[in-house]
Amino acid sequence: MSAALLAACGSNADSSTASHGQANVAYAGSLQLLNEHTVGPAFAKATGYGYSGRGAGSFGLSKEISSGEISPNVFESIGAAPITQLEPSRTSWYVSFAASPIVVVYNPHTSYAPTLKLISQGKLPLSRLFKLFASKGFLLGRTNPNTDPQGQAFYEMVELGVRRLHLPKGLVQQDLGPVDNPAQVFSETSLEARLEAGQLDAASAFESQAIQLHLPYISLPASINFGSSSLAKDYATASLTLSGGSVVHGVPLLVDATVLGHNATSAADAFVRYQLQTAGRRAFVHAGYNVFRPIFVGTRVPRSLRNTR
């Protein structure tokens, strides 16, 4: 199924399970394929609870939850910052359990594809990639740093890459332009669809998305791909000024989840627990994520989840 179709889809619980409660999940757009086609349906089948999902940029979802525009009972974010923005009124904890590094996916049918393939194979140096981004006519896509952690990390990845490869500092601006450059910035749920349609030469993505969509991609060194907790200090040396003037620093991009609301349902607890147990972990691994022992941060973690530590 194409990403274009997936961008428009969500899932609703079978009416026969509605009386048992429903997990209403707001999730980072990069989790769309996994949640809508694997985890959500499998969770509903295994537990009898209903499932409904909605994907978008994590910071954007956090703002919609904070304003009351949407009222999910589970929030899955990339990076903890969008969740901690909801503390203490809507939650007081989160759990980290998976990660996927940033990669550069590319369309195999554009005029730049042969060069990108050689870079992916290590037959051309990685420095060529950052110079290619700045080429006239090269169509690069990325998500909005103002609303999406991947968008922030991709911008910061270019900064780190240019620095570590000793390329001219001005190349960052040549590659990316303004933070919200309208020629490059698209919604997370439509970005890969545009790439597949040939509207872009290359785009930002998580490795898990590239694997699930069967897209060719260029892997990046761990020192700049934001996929390792052990390199948090290195990532933090990159920074970005958002459109509103606030400055953010690079952080590892982990999958974090929490249950929202003082009257959170057992279905919400069950959804988070499902992802931390064997079947859920297996689904994440199959989708290209690196999973690790759950790390709980904060207070008042639901009792039903504590034994999954």
Side-chain angles (χ1 to χ4, degrees):
M1 180 180 293
S2 72
L5 178 56
L6 289 168
C9 76
S11 65
N12 295 307
D14 187 289
S15 58
S16 65
T17 63
S19 62
H20 300 290
Q22 178 163 289
N24 299 310
V25 185
Y27 55 78
S30 59
L31 294 168
Q32 187 173 44
L33 281 166
L34 179 59
N35 273 6
E36 296 302 326
H37 289 269
T38 304
V39 172
F43 160 77
K45 183 178 181 179
T47 66
Y49 289 114
Y51 166 81
S52 177
R54 181 180 190 277
S58 295
F59 283 112
L61 286 173
S62 182
K63 290 181 180 177
E64 291 182 45
I65 294 168
S66 181
S67 67
E69 186 174 344
I70 61 174
S71 301
N73 53 24
V74 177
F75 182 25
E76 287 185 288
S77 168
I78 298 300
I83 292 177
T84 58
Q85 288 181 349
L86 300 174
E87 296 176 346
S89 62
R90 287 176 171 77
T91 189
S92 59
W93 64 275
Y94 63 87
V95 57
S96 304
F97 59 95
S100 184
I102 284 180
V103 300
V104 177
V105 291
Y106 63 92
N107 186 306
H109 305 298
T110 72
S111 60
Y112 292 100
T115 300
L116 292 165
K117 183 177 181 179
L118 290 174
I119 296 171
S120 73
Q121 295 172 335
K123 295 178 180 177
L124 287 175
L126 187 61
S127 59
R128 184 69 178 273
L129 177 66
F130 297 102
K131 294 175 181 175
L132 198 62
F133 284 167
S135 299
K136 185 177 182 181
F138 188 87
L139 301 175
L140 176 65
R142 55 186 175 87
T143 59
N144 191 343
N146 294 305
T147 60
D148 182 45
Q150 184 195 122
Q152 292 182 5
F154 188 80
Y155 210 104
E156 292 161 345
M157 179 278 290
V158 174
E159 178 190 336
L160 286 177
V162 167
R163 187 193 311 165
R164 295 189 188 288
L165 294 171
H166 307 292
L167 297 169
K169 187 176 180 179
L171 192 58
V172 177
Q173 184 66 22
Q174 293 178 40
D175 283 350
L176 302 172
V179 167
D180 56 354
N181 185 352
Q184 294 186 350
V185 170
F186 304 98
S187 71
E188 189 174 13
T189 51
S190 70
L191 187 59
E192 273 65 42
R194 289 179 178 274
L195 180 77
E196 290 179 306
Q199 298 171 9
L200 299 171
D201 294 301
S204 68
F206 290 109
E207 185 178 63
S208 54
Q209 292 173 291
I211 291 172
Q212 292 170 69
L213 290 168
H214 307 290
L215 292 171
Y217 65 93
I218 298 171
S219 298
L220 301 167
S223 59
I224 66 172
N225 71 16
F226 291 84
S228 174
S229 296
S230 65
L231 296 173
K233 289 184 178 179
D234 292 335
Y235 301 152
T237 64
S239 63
L240 172 65
T241 302
L242 302 179
S243 298
S246 60
V247 177
V248 294
H249 294 270
V251 295
L253 296 181
L254 309 182
V255 179
D256 300 306
T258 190
V259 172
L260 298 173
H262 298 299
N263 298 313
T265 70
S266 57
D269 289 356
F271 183 81
V272 175
R273 186 169 60 251
Y274 181 83
Q275 293 183 107
L276 304 182
Q277 296 179 328
T278 301
R281 290 170 64 85
R282 187 182 297 125
F284 270 82
V285 170
H286 184 71
Y289 287 88
N290 302 315
V291 299
F292 48 85
R293 185 175 182 179
I295 302 170
F296 287 90
V297 178
T299 60
R300 293 187 291 178
V301 177
R303 182 174 299 175
S304 63
L305 297 177
R306 293 175 190 165
N307 61 4
T308 57
R309 291 175 188 270

